[in-house]
Amino acid sequence: MRRCWGCLSAWGNTLAGLSISASWLCVSGCSDDGDYGFGTGTVYTSQPVPASNTAPGAPFPTPANTTPSTELASSDPIAPVEPQSSILIVDLPPDAAPLEGPPAATPTSALDVSLPASAAIADLPVVHSERPAKPIIGGTLLVSGDATFAVAADPDRDQIYVVDLNEFELRSTLELATDDEPGRIAEGMGRVYVALRRGGAIVQLDPVENTLGSRWSTCAAPRGLAFDSARSSVVVACQSGLLQRLDASTGDLTWQVQLPVDLRDIVVTADRYWVSRMKTAQLLEVDPERGLVGAATMATVYPPGSELLNADGSFPTSPGVHEARVLRRTVPLPGGELLLFHQYANVAQLGSADYGTGVTGGGVVHSAVAQFNVATRHFEPRGALPPGQFYDVAIRRDGLQVAAFDLGVSSTRVLHTAWPERATLDAMTSGTWESLTLPGQASALAYDGQGRLLVQLREPATLMVPGGPSLELSDDSRFDTGHVIFHHSTVLGVACASCHPEGGEDGVTWDFIVPGPRQTQPLQGGLLATLPLHWEGERADVTALMLDTYVSRMGGSMPSATQSKAFGMWLDTLQLPTSSPRDADVQQAGRALFERAGCDVCHSGVNYSDNANHDVGTGGVFQTPMLRGLGHSGPYMHDGCAQSLTDRFDEQCGGSKHGKLSDLNDADVAVLSQYLESL
């Protein structure tokens, strides 16, 4: 297959000696070996355009107005062209004639990929964003307490937007450091606070002056954020399990406690902090002075007699067992209770292609909402959402309406319905949802003071009211084909992100009839360096993975070869959660034990894997997993036999056949486990 490429946006001054200061430019080239280096190619420039349109972000000429201007030999120097935000890749048959111009799929502006709302995977242009598009996390939009302004965090562009809601206009765009990745937002004492997920900090902003204020260092991976007005403090929940309280004026650390890992959101009530854990769908009850005092877990749901009946009162397609997993959002409800937006996973035994056995006609993973009574410590399930992978939820200020969204290939589906006053068998699965289809890819929802639903789009970067005003936040495109494939819902109502939230894993050990129990593997940390894929290493590359999982199991349409390539390229950009530095003495002692036990024989190299298959006494021959990011990815082993890293050294997880463990005592195992958690 002959592979060709071209740029979506490239304004610059010189390429191979050509002056293009007043012209749009696109470099197109082809390669017969699939590499993306520039070989012989054609430079395409537009007809001259007005000087006012020659700045970055100006509208691009349409492909019809572009013509080839010169031929480049493979030896010609090609100077970098800035800014170049994306690369377009197309497949051509080996005997194809030279391109007569940029491919037809080339967008005509940085914000428009020219796709209809009903677009399918086959319609996607193949685009890989030069700056990695971040997984969707939800919860990046806040409406102020007085409802006069909104703050939107943009992890893709490392920016924060302040929007005047009365005039519906952009007050300010606040620039952050590259890869800060702003996330959750909190408000208090006339200030707004934003967690920088990869920046390891909290940044303060003044919404009146529209300026950034102090930046306070915190844990390496802050996730949840809330304001404690009783203590004039900002409360931070960290991926590592650390819960911190900072003085809201100075940023000084005034209190902290170590909780279990994988913290997500915080809700502050009169005398408690309620902290969610993502994968286990747990709520931790924390006394603001004494620390952890309890934990609440949603009960396993057995469909017969449960709230998960179908709308017509029948039982779901698969009777199985549905466990609450992946608690994506926890938000306060009027009256002091909590809304929990989570997933159910069908953990009954599944066939190898059995991903379409969920409730309400959906897949094995489906979104649901529940209510938590803080007085009784009781969960009240509200039911499953319609089929689809939903990413965020919002509740109207009067508590009478709830909204959520999922993603198509080129559009966003926003559903909203009345919030039921009490739990009923089919309260939210009875077809009462109203559906809106919006162009683009949403990232967060919120209601304003007038009860209007606000939708934050990540691509194109926009804040909009469905059926009302729309405000462009940035003209810097972050469209990426792989990102779209990963997040969109297939016909079974599942997405790659269903089992791999944020590119990680859901902590579920799926019980397949064949090949048996399999733990979800994380995708972060450089997937392409770990080929072949899956526990047995039976999938040679991403294309094989797509055919097996995305098409055969999830019901997706088979992408083209270049779409699969773009998907793999995007997966390869997924970053591991940032880890805090560990004690140097423990690190040194742990490394010595790692080598003494022979772990480094198979767990070698930068990723701690030889990418080979071995029998380590766990019932088969399995691929050596990468150990980087291990502290965030339990349970462990192919069958989830180890709930913790310490458990991995038990006989049920291979015992002495899985390393030289006979001379390791309990203290050694503890130190070695700490070392593994730090990788």
Side-chain angles (χ1 to χ4, degrees):
M1 180 67 69
R2 193 178 182 206
R3 184 148 292 145
C4 299
W5 56 87
C7 60
L8 287 182
S9 59
W11 289 92
N13 51 18
T14 304
L15 183 107
L18 294 175
S19 174
I20 53 142
S21 59
S23 296
W24 176 75
L25 161 132
C26 189
V27 177
S28 176
C30 295
S31 169
D32 293 326
D33 59 9
D35 289 339
Y36 292 120
F38 285 98
T40 301
T42 302
V43 178
Y44 293 97
T45 60
S46 76
Q47 304 299 328
V49 292
S52 61
N53 286 346
T54 60
F60 296 140
T62 62
N65 293 331
T66 59
T67 56
S69 64
T70 187
E71 292 292 326
L72 287 179
S74 59
S75 59
D76 286 340
I78 299 180
V81 179
E82 298 293 346
Q84 179 172 319
S85 62
S86 303
I87 297 172
L88 180 71
I89 307 162
V90 295
D91 274 338
L92 293 177
D95 57 350
L99 293 175
E100 296 300 327
T106 301
T108 57
S109 82
L111 294 180
D112 180 12
V113 293
S114 302
L115 290 175
S118 59
I121 289 295
D123 302 317
L124 277 178
V126 185
V127 179
H128 179 62
S129 178
E130 185 177 336
R131 285 194 60 189
K134 303 295 186 180
I136 293 174
I137 60 173
T140 56
L141 180 61
L142 175 139
V143 173
S144 64
D146 63 7
T148 61
F149 67 89
V151 176
D154 186 343
D156 287 292
R157 298 164 184 84
D158 291 311
Q159 294 176 333
I160 300 170
Y161 312 109
V162 183
V163 176
D164 186 313
L165 291 179
N166 293 324
E167 302 297 329
F168 212 78
E169 63 182 19
L170 185 61
R171 285 189 192 172
S172 182
T173 298
L174 304 173
E175 300 283 347
L176 301 169
T178 299
D179 216 22
D180 264 347
E181 201 173 309
R184 295 289 194 262
I185 311 171
E187 181 190 19
M189 292 176 55
R191 294 290 187 271
V192 174
Y193 307 86
V194 182
L196 306 181
R197 292 164 56 90
R198 300 197 69 81
I202 305 300
V203 66
Q204 181 191 81
L205 65 93
D206 184 334
V208 177
E209 298 296 329
N210 302 314
T211 56
L212 287 176
S214 301
R215 179 183 176 117
W216 304 324
S217 295
T218 179
C219 56
R223 291 294 183 261
L225 199 64
F227 192 82
D228 182 352
S229 56
R231 295 169 180 80
S232 300
S233 298
V234 180
V235 189
V236 186
C238 306
Q239 171 96 20
S240 63
L242 198 62
L243 186 69
Q244 298 181 321
R245 190 163 64 226
L246 310 180
D247 184 279
S249 297
T250 66
D252 293 339
L253 178 66
T254 59
W255 179 83
Q256 67 179 9
V257 63
Q258 182 65 50
L259 302 175
V261 299
D262 198 31
L263 303 186
R264 184 70 170 181
D265 282 314
I266 313 165
V267 176
V268 176
T269 58
D271 60 350
R272 286 292 186 269
Y273 298 153
W274 300 95
V275 185
S276 64
R277 297 181 69 203
M278 187 175 180
K279 291 190 296 184
T280 58
Q282 262 189 333
L283 270 183
L284 304 180
E285 182 179 356
V286 179
D287 184 289
E289 305 301 332
R290 295 185 294 126
L292 182 66
V293 295
T297 304
M298 279 182 269
T300 297
V301 174
Y302 299 83
S306 79
E307 85 288 353
L308 292 179
L309 293 176
N310 290 331
D312 61 1
S314 63
F315 292 140
T317 306
S318 171
V321 178
H322 292 81
E323 290 184 355
R325 295 284 184 159
V326 188
L327 182 48
R328 291 182 180 269
R329 291 294 313 281
T330 303
V331 297
L333 287 168
E337 297 188 340
L338 310 182
L339 180 155
L340 294 91
F341 173 57
H342 66 96
Q343 295 176 183
Y344 275 118
N346 184 353
V347 293
Q349 199 168 53
L350 304 172
S352 60
D354 205 9
Y355 280 22
T357 53
V359 302
T360 68
V364 292
V365 173
H366 54 274
S367 301
V369 287
Q371 189 166 325
F372 182 75
N373 188 313
V374 299
T376 64
R377 276 58 171 175
H378 178 63
F379 289 99
E380 299 174 3
R382 295 295 192 177
L385 279 70
Q389 177 53 57
F390 291 81
Y391 293 96
D392 200 10
V393 68
I395 190 80
R396 206 166 66 186
R397 291 192 175 193
D398 60 9
L400 299 181
Q401 190 177 82
V402 64
F405 77 85
D406 73 340
L407 298 173
V409 170
S410 61
S411 61
T412 294
R413 178 178 60 154
V414 177
L415 302 180
H416 60 95
T417 189
W419 180 250
E421 295 183 2
R422 61 183 180 83
T424 58
L425 289 180
D426 60 350
M428 303 189 75
T429 61
S430 59
T432 58
W433 289 92
E434 294 184 41
S435 178
L436 303 168
T437 300
L438 307 175
Q441 195 180 35
S443 55
L445 302 174
Y447 282 94
D448 70 5
Q450 303 174 47
R452 298 182 304 178
L453 180 63
L454 303 179
V455 182
Q456 179 187 358
L457 301 181
R458 64 162 297 277
E459 181 62 33
T462 306
L463 184 66
M464 67 184 306
V465 175
S470 180
L471 176 66
E472 179 182 282
L473 301 175
S474 173
D475 63 0
D476 183 9
S477 177
R478 288 291 183 271
F479 182 88
D480 191 293
T481 302
H483 189 279
V484 172
I485 293 173
F486 183 83
H487 288 93
H488 92 99
S489 299
T490 69
V491 294
L492 295 182
V494 294
C496 303
S498 300
C499 299
H500 299 280
E502 299 182 23
E505 40 75 42
D506 55 7
V508 176
T509 302
W510 299 93
D511 186 11
F512 294 104
I513 297 172
V514 176
R518 291 293 180 269
Q519 178 73 17
T520 305
Q521 293 178 288
L523 306 177
Q524 302 149 323
L527 185 71
L528 298 184
T530 69
L531 299 177
L533 303 170
H534 275 188
W535 280 107
E536 287 87 349
E538 76 277 19
R539 302 299 173 225
D541 54 25
V542 173
T543 299
L545 179 72
M546 295 291 280
L547 180 60
D548 171 68
T549 303
Y550 179 74
V551 177
S552 299
R553 301 186 189 189
M554 294 170 55
S557 300
M558 184 62 195
S560 70
T562 48
Q563 287 175 331
S564 294
K565 177 87 174 184
F567 182 62
M569 291 169 71
W570 182 78
L571 290 178
D572 210 43
T573 69
L574 292 170
Q575 297 170 291
L576 292 164
T578 308
S579 297
S580 301
R582 300 298 179 104
D583 182 87
D585 292 338
V586 173
Q587 290 287 96
Q588 184 176 2
R591 178 66 195 185
L593 290 167
F594 185 79
E595 295 174 355
R596 193 172 97 194
C599 304
D600 60 326
V601 174
C602 300
H603 293 287
S604 57
V606 65
N607 287 328
Y608 299 90
S609 173
D610 60 4
N611 292 353
N613 284 21
H614 301 280
D615 180 358
V616 293
T618 55
V621 177
F622 299 103
Q623 186 86 355
T624 305
M626 177 177 73
L627 298 186
R628 290 175 59 228
L630 205 62
H632 307 288
S633 61
Y636 304 99
M637 310 299 289
H638 76 279
D639 57 357
C641 63
Q643 290 298 308
S644 69
L645 284 170
T646 303
D647 294 339
R648 170 259 166 273
F649 298 98
D650 291 346
E651 285 296 325
Q652 64 178 350
C653 289
S656 58
K657 195 171 182 180
H658 194 176
K660 304 171 185 176
L661 309 180
S662 58
D663 61 343
L664 296 185
N665 57 36
D666 290 346
D668 292 334
V669 169
V671 172
L672 180 52
S673 297
Q674 290 181 56
Y675 171 73
L676 293 173
E677 287 176 356
S678 72
L679 298 177

